[in-house]
Amino acid sequence: MSEVVIKVENLSKCYKLGHKTNDTEESFVKAISKKIKNGLSPQSNRAIEDFWALKNINFEITKGERVGIIGRNGAGKSTLLKILSRIVKPTTGRIEYYGRMASLLEVGTGFHGDLTGRENIYLNGSLIGMKKAEIDAKFDAIVDFSEIEQFLDTPVKRYSSGMYVRLGFAIAAYLEPEILIVDEVLAVGDSVFQKKCIDRMTDISRLGNTILFVSHNFSTINSLCNTGILLEKGQVKTQGIVTDVFNHYYQTQKITETSFDLENLARYEHKQELIFKEITFNKVPIPYGEQIKFKIKLKNKINAKQFSDLDFGINFCDNNYNCIYHVSNRFINKNFTHCTDDSVYEFNLDNNLKPGFYNLILFLRTADQIQDFLINRVGVEILDGNPYEFNDTNQIQGSVLPNFKITQT
Amino acid sequence: MKTVITSEDKSFINFKELQGFFGLLKYLSLRDILVRYKQTWMGFAWSIVRPLINIFIFGTLSMLIIKNSSIENFVRVGCGIIFWQLISTVISDSSNSLSANANILTKVYFPKLILPLSTLFPCLVDFLISFILFFICVLFYQGISWHIIFLPLIILHSIIFSLGIGLIFSVASVKYRDVKFILPFIIQILFYASPVFLSSSDVLQLNIPEWLKIVYQLNPLLHIIDAYKFCMLGNNAAHINLVYYAGSIFVTLILCFLAVRYFLKFEKTFADYI
């Protein structure tokens, strides 16, 4: 049994949400006069609701663990990191940790545009908890890692965004705390630099340091972390080996369903006279390279006779919210008119997506009206595999796997 | 080393922790000094020009009010204005320090007291530049008395007072942006309520109600500025009443103590509200 470095007990965090009590449209003058009548008290026309971002969290992390924190948007990941890094205080509960902790919730925290790269290294380094002697000793390594030597005495406001991020990460990379907390900062920079960052973090963890890492990116967590914590609605769902936690995560996302009921989902805007009713995949998960086939049904909500000029837009987005595929009947010059809800629209598309999980954006327009727009309500998994008979798909970067040949002449 | 995070607040300054963040204090101060006059054509000359313009404006104004156009009067005004520049910039910069650094506040942990503290040094540098110039002028014009040795103490006193006010406003500004709008007026009121361009003895000779004179003398800043003028220019610039001055020290210490308590009480909630 190795020693515990972080111990979290009954941790909760409550935020107060203000709601307007009446949703009727208010004019500016009305709002002001109401405010005066209510005696300027800021809460007077609001109902306060408690929102528990975290509720009774308990876990322990042992020395040298590299923990990936996983969860959907709003599961409480960021709140947990903020409490652990002592930026916000918990509502109840207690955390104990041993050793020096540093958190990296943002790359280049406190960078000042008017200061040069050199000056910012010292400023940022001291912000994230390095001593001057430490920065002096690692200065050359930091500059080397960030690849900005040439621009060291240029104000950072003249930097490209890539340079800015590289410098920010380089400083953090040479901070060697016993516990390192990292929020999705690796989502930036080119893939070569990303790999460099992950390698560096793996090196840090080899020294016996503990790392907590939040990301949506499966492959990043998989290559960096050995254990995981799954958060759901502010509670710890599972904790354990990272692959188990991921499996659990995808099961709870109900990604094994072939059919998604879309009719009863909450929607906020757009016309909604004609909406998505159902989407059915013919096979889930989809094996690598096999055609993706799905059928869509629509529902006519206003009993209109017909809708002409249908325009479907279906996007496949990866875990980093990049759109990989975008298909639409518009592109292939197909014209549909929706007369009856019995119509089925069938989509078949060739698939060279990299194995992993994809969220769909469903978009529907008739004539000039946007009718329905659903983001990330439907997801599919592409099973592991690649066209090259290569044994470790994880090593392949990029989002799609093209067929290619390389020859020597 | 064991650290515990709970929902409890700090009761008083953790000096040992603060010491560990001395480097951060240094670099934040340096940042503010370096950035202050970046992309200005006149650069640090501004720290001389700004008080000079004020001396001209308020020197003329005081000439009109007390009908005294002597050089001595201008020297007195200059002495007050330069010192006031320090007090007012400390008050306004430290009040704004939290909202100005919101981006850091929500991303890393450090004792938040560092932020208002880090504004002191740039203000002092600005002050010293104009002060040294003024000092040389006075030295050649009328000489300096031995009382000058008390000056560092008086400057320290003024900084503690201004910082105390700044701390309170900085905490308030986290939740209420109203502070940003009200602060310039408060500084303006303090300016007119203190003997900056008029001597307190001149004001007390003006034809104003007796009770207003008493209120006027209750201002702790009045005694700080008078003491400062006395040490710089001697007896005919300002009178110093040791009892009142001791009272001013007492008020300052209480103000500062309460301000720090207030600051620490809300320190952990800054990131939630800012």
Side-chain angles (χ1 to χ4, degrees), chain A residues 13 85-91 94-99 106 112 114 119 122 126-127 132 157, chain B residues 1-5 7 9 20 24 26-27 31 34-35 38-39 104-105 107-109 268 271-272:
Chain A
K13 174 75 186 176
S85 37
R86 292 198 283 170
I87 292 162
V88 300
K89 69 170 184 178
T91 309
R94 158 189 185 91
I95 300 171
E96 276 174 28
Y97 66 82
Y98 299 86
E106 180 190 58
H112 197 292
D114 279 322
E119 289 158 347
Y122 281 94
S126 63
L127 253 175
K132 179 169 187 298
K157 67 177 171 189
Chain B
M1 190 185 74
K2 175 176 159 181
T3 315
V4 179
I5 305 173
S7 54
D9 303 308
L24 177 60
K26 192 174 90 184
Y27 287 114
R31 176 194 72 177
L34 287 171
V35 164
K38 270 268 161 88
Q39 276 205 4
I104 312 180
L105 214 63
K107 296 294 180 204
V108 268
Y109 171 80
K268 284 186 179 178
D272 281 338

Side-chain angles (χ1 to χ4, degrees), chain A residues 105 134 139 160 165 177 180 185 187 204 273 303 318 321 336 384-385:
Chain A
L105 302 191
E134 241 180 305
F139 191 84
S160 74
V165 165
L180 179 65
V185 287
I204 294 174
E273 292 168 356
N303 295 321
D318 69 9
Y321 312 108
F336 297 128
D384 198 21

